[in-house]
Amino acid sequence: MSHAALLAVAGLTLFGAPSARAQSATDSLARLRALTEAVRADRSNHAAWYERGMLAWAIARQQRRVTAIRNDSGPSLFDVADSSLQRALKLRDDDARYVLALGRYRWSSTNGLT
């Protein structure tokens, strides 16, 4: 179970209602799942790839993960961010915001991806 999901469960268990932070994490994960389904349905949807990458990066930063640790639950959020931003740029290499987003991600990333 992911850290964000654990926060949501802890909020429900301890307080009976989700805390604002846990609810936000749950909403973010639901949005990430929806974006994953959108890119599976249309692999050429550059906007969905971009949004998926930016959201995965934001969630990973919130969780304060500093390495790309793989586990049984699949790729790390940093891997999702990197591959999604790369895909968006590949689909629309003329969009400066995709170039800048991938550059900013790579510049700030500590996960060793190149």
Side-chain angles (χ1 to χ4, degrees):
M1 183 178 282
S2 72
H3 181 70
L6 287 173
L7 281 174
V9 170
L12 286 170
T13 304
L14 296 175
F15 305 110
S19 66
R21 183 174 181 179
Q23 185 61 43
S24 176
T26 302
D27 292 346
S28 294
L29 290 174
R31 179 69 183 141
L32 186 60
R33 281 193 283 288
L35 287 165
T36 298
E37 290 304 315
V39 298
R40 283 184 182 151
D42 180 4
R43 304 218 34 98
S44 65
N45 186 343
H46 58 89
W49 281 108
Y50 172 76
E51 188 176 346
R52 180 177 184 254
M54 295 301 288
L55 181 58
W57 185 18
I59 294 169
R61 284 188 313 229
Q62 287 173 354
Q63 293 180 354
R64 291 176 173 50
R65 293 177 63 178
V66 291
T67 60
I69 299 171
R70 291 186 186 276
N71 57 35
D72 293 337
S73 65
S76 77
L77 289 170
F78 287 117
D79 291 342
V80 171
D82 185 71
S83 63
S84 295
L85 292 172
Q86 283 184 67
R87 180 72 174 173
L89 180 59
K90 184 176 181 179
L91 291 168
R92 284 288 301 268
D93 62 357
D94 62 336
D95 194 326
R97 113 191 111 133
Y98 296 170
V99 174
L100 291 172
L102 183 58
R104 283 183 53 229
Y105 169 78
R106 293 271 175 91
W107 182 261
S108 68
S109 179
T110 59
N111 69 354
L113 294 173
T114 56

